[in-house]
């Protein structure tokens, strides 16, 4: 197991990821790596694109089609990351404007490279959006709600910057169910180390279930709340193309994979490989389900 002294950089394990660091023990470790181990790190756009960004790019147009917004709307994409959803808004929705807000400098840099000047990119967080009241008509976020510290505050803030009768909408992975590429990973991780259950996104993110999303949006005082599933195929030509993105360190499962020493990571790799439905030609066909939610800001 990899060793880390969590006091070295002043990060409290409990505050960083809840009580989820049973697999860390104390010893010297560089600050950047400790932070990577203890948080849902979003710093480097390229590995994120390989891991999940490319799949978010497939969900985004289907989510927007479900929203069915008319042309000419002012859009906000909260936690825009490397720009998957923002790019889809530009490509499919004929927006009057698109603003992307994102806390990570690294992701903003990749978003700028990806979508250039088609989207106004601002640094900020969901709880303190750098926008005035009712400045947009539609506020969306893709794969973000479960990572914000206080989703209730985030929704209130998104409602503040959205016009009356405007739309708030989001999608999140079905971590506990049919986000299969992650489920195979975490189920194997927990088999090998029961402590990993505390890091499993299916357990960590109860908000990513349809009933919980509906309750969250309804309790925020929003109207006409609807939830739907969006399924996409996540196909891999071979096992290596499935496994390599987990070595990029961005996101909870890759961060966990990279926290293990090589032998332990090798055992995890082997168990995942044994369990995956690998076709005789080596390819792997999986499903990734997202839960989408939409609601109306009261008039
Ligand atoms: C899984 S990525 C999703 C990125 C992008 N929306 C997509 O669909 O590919 C999660 C994103 O949420 C952002 N994020 C994390 N905490 C946030 C917060 N408090 N407010 C806004 N965004 C946040 C991260 O920086 C990261 O870009």
């Amino acid at each position: 197991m990899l060793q880390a002294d969590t006091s070295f950089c002043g990060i409290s394990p409990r505050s960083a990821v809840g009580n989820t660091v049973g697999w860390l023990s104390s010893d010297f470790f560089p600050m950047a790596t400790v932070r990577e181990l203890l948080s849902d790190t979003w710093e480097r756009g390229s590995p994120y694109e390989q891991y999940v960004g490319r799949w978010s790019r497939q969900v985004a147009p289907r989510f927007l089609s479900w929203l069915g917004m008319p042309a000419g709307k002012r859009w906000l994409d909260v936690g825009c990351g490397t720009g998957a959803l923002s790019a889809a808004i530009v490509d499919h929705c004929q927006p009057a404007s698109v603003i992307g807000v994102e806390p990570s400098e690294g992701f903003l840099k990749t978003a700028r490279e990806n979508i250039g000047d088609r989207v106004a990119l601002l640094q900020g967080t969901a709880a303190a959006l750098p926008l005035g009241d009712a400045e947009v008509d539609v506020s969306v976020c893709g794969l973000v709600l479960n990572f914000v510290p206080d989703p209730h505050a985030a929704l209130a803030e998104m409602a503040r910057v959205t016009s009356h009768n405007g739309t708030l909408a989001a999608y999140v992975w079905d971590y506990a169910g049919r986000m299969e590429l992650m489920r195979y990973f975490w189920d194997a991780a927990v088999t090998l180390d029961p402590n990993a259950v505390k890091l499993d996104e299916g357990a960590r993110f109860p908000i990513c279930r349809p009933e919980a999303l509906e309750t969250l949006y309804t309790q925020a005082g929003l109207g006409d709340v609807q939830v739907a599933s969006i399924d996409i195929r996540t196909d891999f030509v071979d096992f290596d193309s499935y496994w390599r993105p987990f070595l990029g360190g961005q996101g909870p499962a890759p961060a966990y994979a990279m926290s293990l020493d090589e032998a332990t990571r090798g055992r995890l790799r082997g168990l995942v490989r044994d369990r995956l439905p690998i076709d005789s030609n080596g390819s792997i066909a999986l499903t990734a389900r997202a839960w989408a939610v939409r609601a109306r800001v009261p008039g």
Side-chain angles (χ1 to χ4, degrees), residues 39-68:
S39 66
D40 295 317
T41 310
W42 313 108
E43 284 167 4
R44 288 175 290 123
S46 173
Y48 172 77
E49 281 286 320
Q50 288 306 308
Y51 174 53
V52 151
R54 59 178 163 155
W55 306 123
S56 187
R57 283 177 196 282
Q58 292 197 18
V59 174
R62 299 184 52 184
F63 167 70
L64 295 171
S65 155
W66 178 63
L67 292 183

Side-chain angles (χ1 to χ4, degrees), residues 17-284:
V17 285
N19 55 351
T20 59
V21 288
W23 42 279
L24 295 176
S25 59
S26 63
D27 200 348
F28 173 84
F29 214 77
M31 181 164 146
T33 309
V34 169
R35 200 179 286 127
E36 192 127 323
L37 289 173
L38 295 180
S39 66
D40 295 317
T41 310
W42 313 108
E43 284 167 4
R44 288 175 290 123
S46 173
Y48 172 77
E49 281 286 320
Q50 288 306 308
Y51 174 53
V52 151
R54 59 178 163 155
W55 306 123
S56 187
R57 283 177 196 282
Q58 292 197 18
V59 174
R62 299 184 52 184
F63 167 70
L64 295 171
S65 155
W66 178 63
L67 292 183
M69 302 303 298
K73 297 290 183 188
R74 302 167 299 167
W75 289 73
L76 168 66
D77 178 12
V78 177
C80 65
T82 52
L85 180 52
S86 293
I89 295 166
V90 171
D91 290 343
H92 298 281
C93 299
Q94 297 177 268
S97 57
V98 185
I99 298 171
V101 173
E102 164 62 37
S104 158
E105 298 242 12
F107 275 22
L108 278 174
K109 181 171 176 291
T110 306
R112 270 186 213 106
E113 288 159 10
N114 285 342
I115 44 184
D117 54 7
R118 298 186 296 161
V119 173
L121 293 164
L122 306 174
Q123 193 162 27
T125 67
L129 294 168
L131 276 77
D133 293 356
E135 235 183 81
V136 298
D137 306 306
V138 193
S139 290
V140 291
C141 54
L143 311 179
V144 173
L145 271 184
N146 50 295
F147 293 112
V148 306
D150 182 349
H152 298 276
L155 277 192
E157 181 66 348
M158 283 189 253
R160 177 186 70 76
V161 303
T162 307
S163 57
H164 291 174
N165 291 314
T167 298
L168 293 200
Y171 59 87
V172 293
W173 292 127
D174 180 20
Y175 291 102
R178 297 212 64 194
M179 197 332 159
E180 292 178 344
L181 77 91
M182 292 184 195
R183 280 271 37 93
Y184 277 98
F185 177 95
W186 284 118
D187 289 346
V190 171
T191 299
L192 294 177
D193 177 6
N195 279 327
V197 76
K198 301 169 195 161
L199 300 171
D200 174 350
E201 291 150 276
R204 278 182 63 201
F205 301 138
I207 197 181
C208 297
R209 295 168 193 250
E211 307 79 17
L213 284 174
E214 189 169 349
T215 302
L216 177 71
Y217 276 65
T218 304
Q219 286 180 347
L222 301 164
D224 305 335
V225 179
Q226 295 174 43
V227 176
S229 61
I230 298 173
D231 288 1
I232 59 161
R233 288 174 59 129
T234 51
D235 293 347
F236 303 92
V237 289
D238 55 23
F239 178 75
D240 274 349
S241 66
Y242 165 88
W243 183 251
R244 212 176 309 113
F246 286 100
L247 308 181
Q250 300 295 285
Y256 176 74
M258 295 314 290
S259 75
L260 304 172
D261 61 46
E262 251 182 60
T264 311
R265 188 162 55 246
R267 279 195 292 282
L268 176 58
R269 181 183 187 278
L271 186 56
V272 173
R273 186 179 185 136
D274 287 347
R275 289 180 173 183
L276 278 167
I278 302 180
D279 192 84
S280 55
N281 68 6
S283 66
I284 303 166

